[in-house]
Amino acid sequence: MNSIIKLDHKIYTLNFDGLFSVSETHTIHAMASASLTLSPPIDLPLSLKASTKTSQSLPLFPLRPLNPPSSPYKFNRKAAVAASLSREQVFESAATDTNQDSPRPPSSKLVLVVGGTGGVGQLVVASLLDRNVRARLLLRNPEKATTLFGEQDEEKLQVRQGDTRNPEDLDPSIFEGVTHVICCTGTTAFPSRRWDGDNTPERTDWEGVRNLVSALPSSLKRIVLVSSVGVTKFNELPWSIMNLFGVLKYKKMGEDFVRNSGLPYTIIRPGRLTDGPYTSYDLNTLLQATAGERRAVVIGQGDKLVGEVSRLVVAEACIQALDIDFTEGQIYEINSVQGEGPGSDPKKWQELFKGAKK
């Protein structure tokens, strides 16, 4: 079913089978609802149309595969033109080489990942495992963890069953020993099959975040929340169209609850998500996923950034923010564009976050 909306001489077309397009200066590409995933959950306006281009797959992060398969997995990705970068800093540098034969020393962290089987969350978990950082997953369906990440030692990966939409599921034992939290839950902006089971933006992005934050211990060192660009503009065109079912409003309510909780926080607002979601792949495949040519990172503040970002970049930004002191209490927008990126180099990420323009 299509709906045509004409406002201020601009025509907006909505297709409630999961497609969305805008006919105006900013072009939003129509896409299937299955790929319209909310972490952030929207297909954002671009000033230029993305063009399909096959490029050589280069690794975004120097990850060390676990039990490498006989043939490497590679992904070819679209390269797109970035929009309005004059106010933002673009940091382009090659990923740092690492000795892949040397295991990383164990970390003292215990990171609770909420939404760990979603598009961004599974990449967060895979990267934590590769870094030898202990992870704990809070999942509605714990069996998904084995499917994605295989059988893991309890010391490396712990799985707890629970649903953030239900406060009674959040038993204090889930948070025992947890030092950090990365929350990357989400759903689709418009009604889709992912809304089945009351998985709406209100229940997931607002009530779920509120319940989670209310249950977290005061000893927590940091919570990183994945939100979305445009949350401060949900009453303005074209954002108001993306917010027809409240997704931006509810994400902003979740942000505000985190900010007012008294817990140390960092909020990451990605642009439209690209690369993945790799929701049917195993750990070995996740560790070898690439971002094609889009490895340079753009970070801004003030909700001015518009564009796209690789899910791999978002996952890395969340992990890096845990250890950068000055990111505490801050909100960052993030995109990725063509060029060499910071990889997993902490110093380069520090420069990126430090150079974010308001």
Side-chain angles (χ1 to χ4, degrees):
M1 178 180 68
N2 292 329
S3 297
I4 307 297
I5 302 174
K6 185 175 182 181
L7 297 173
D8 298 329
H9 306 291
K10 300 174 183 178
I11 299 173
Y12 299 83
T13 304
L14 294 180
N15 180 315
F16 289 95
D17 291 328
L19 302 180
F20 178 68
S21 63
V22 176
S23 300
E24 59 157 340
T25 303
H26 297 289
T27 300
I28 302 181
H29 299 288
M31 61 187 296
S33 62
S35 62
L36 197 61
T37 303
L38 288 223
S39 290
I42 58 175
D43 189 13
L44 299 175
L46 301 176
S47 62
L48 294 174
K49 286 187 177 180
S51 60
T52 303
K53 180 179 178 182
T54 302
S55 60
Q56 181 182 5
S57 295
L58 298 174
L60 178 68
F61 309 126
L63 297 175
R64 173 174 51 83
L66 304 181
N67 301 321
S70 57
S71 61
Y73 294 85
K74 297 270 187 170
F75 297 91
N76 289 328
R77 296 293 168 231
K78 289 193 303 181
V81 181
S84 305
L85 300 181
S86 57
R87 297 182 181 179
E88 317 298 335
Q89 178 185 15
V90 179
F91 188 92
E92 297 187 355
S93 58
T96 304
D97 291 332
T98 59
N99 183 351
Q100 297 186 357
D101 295 328
S102 301
R104 304 190 189 209
S107 168
S108 60
K109 295 189 190 75
L110 175 55
V111 181
L112 177 69
V113 182
V114 187
T117 59
V120 171
Q122 60 185 306
L123 294 167
V124 168
V125 175
S127 191
L128 290 172
L129 291 173
D130 185 70
R131 285 167 156 87
N132 210 6
V133 176
R134 292 180 300 154
R136 180 178 294 170
L137 305 186
L138 178 61
L139 300 177
R140 300 173 191 173
N141 181 6
E143 293 180 0
K144 286 186 177 181
T146 303
T147 302
L148 277 173
F149 311 114
E151 296 290 343
Q152 298 289 333
D153 190 296
E154 179 77 7
E155 286 297 314
K156 294 185 63 176
L157 182 64
Q158 306 166 9
V159 180
R160 302 289 185 270
Q161 185 170 10
D163 188 337
T164 58
R165 299 172 302 175
N166 303 322
E168 60 273 15
D169 281 6
L170 304 179
D171 189 88
S173 62
I174 293 173
F175 310 104
E176 287 181 2
V178 169
T179 58
H180 300 77
V181 172
I182 297 177
C183 178
C184 35
T185 54
T187 185
T188 53
F190 300 104
S192 70
R193 284 177 296 180
R194 290 194 59 194
W195 282 30
D196 293 349
D198 204 21
N199 197 43
T200 63
E202 181 177 11
R203 293 283 281 140
T204 302
D205 294 310
W206 162 230
E207 295 179 15
V209 170
R210 179 194 64 195
N211 296 337
L212 172 67
V213 172
S214 298
L216 293 176
S218 59
S219 59
L220 194 72
K221 295 183 178 180
R222 188 78 63 90
I223 175 174
V224 175
L225 174 69
V226 179
S227 181
S228 170
V229 300
V231 294
T232 67
K233 307 173 185 178
F234 61 80
N235 285 324
E236 306 173 15
L237 286 171
W239 306 98
S240 56
I241 296 179
M242 304 306 302
N243 192 55
L244 280 175
F245 295 91
V247 64
L248 295 179
K249 179 184 74 172
Y250 292 125
K251 278 191 171 292
K252 182 61 165 60
M253 291 170 65
E255 283 190 11
D256 291 342
F257 196 84
V258 170
R259 289 174 52 244
N260 296 324
S261 68
L263 295 171
Y265 71 87
T266 303
I267 295 173
I268 302 293
R269 294 172 175 167
R272 188 178 77 88
L273 294 170
T274 64
D275 296 313
Y278 306 110
T279 51
S280 60
Y281 294 95
D282 59 17
L283 180 59
N284 290 321
T285 312
L286 292 172
L287 291 176
Q288 297 182 60
T290 70
E293 294 181 354
R294 300 178 63 85
R295 300 185 303 279
V297 177
V298 183
I299 294 183
Q301 289 187 292
D303 207 5
K304 300 174 184 177
L305 201 60
V306 176
E308 299 180 328
V309 61
S310 167
R311 286 179 169 86
L312 292 110
V313 168
V314 178
E316 184 67 18
C318 292
I319 294 172
Q320 292 288 341
L322 297 178
D323 294 320
I324 301 177
D325 290 341
F326 64 79
T327 63
E328 180 180 328
Q330 298 295 314
I331 302 175
Y332 299 96
E333 293 81 48
I334 186 167
N335 279 356
S336 56
V337 296
Q338 289 187 14
E340 297 301 326
S344 57
D345 188 325
K347 292 183 179 178
K348 293 174 182 177
W349 278 97
Q350 286 183 31
E351 293 179 35
L352 277 167
F353 281 116
K354 188 176 294 184
K357 298 287 184 68
K358 295 185 178 180

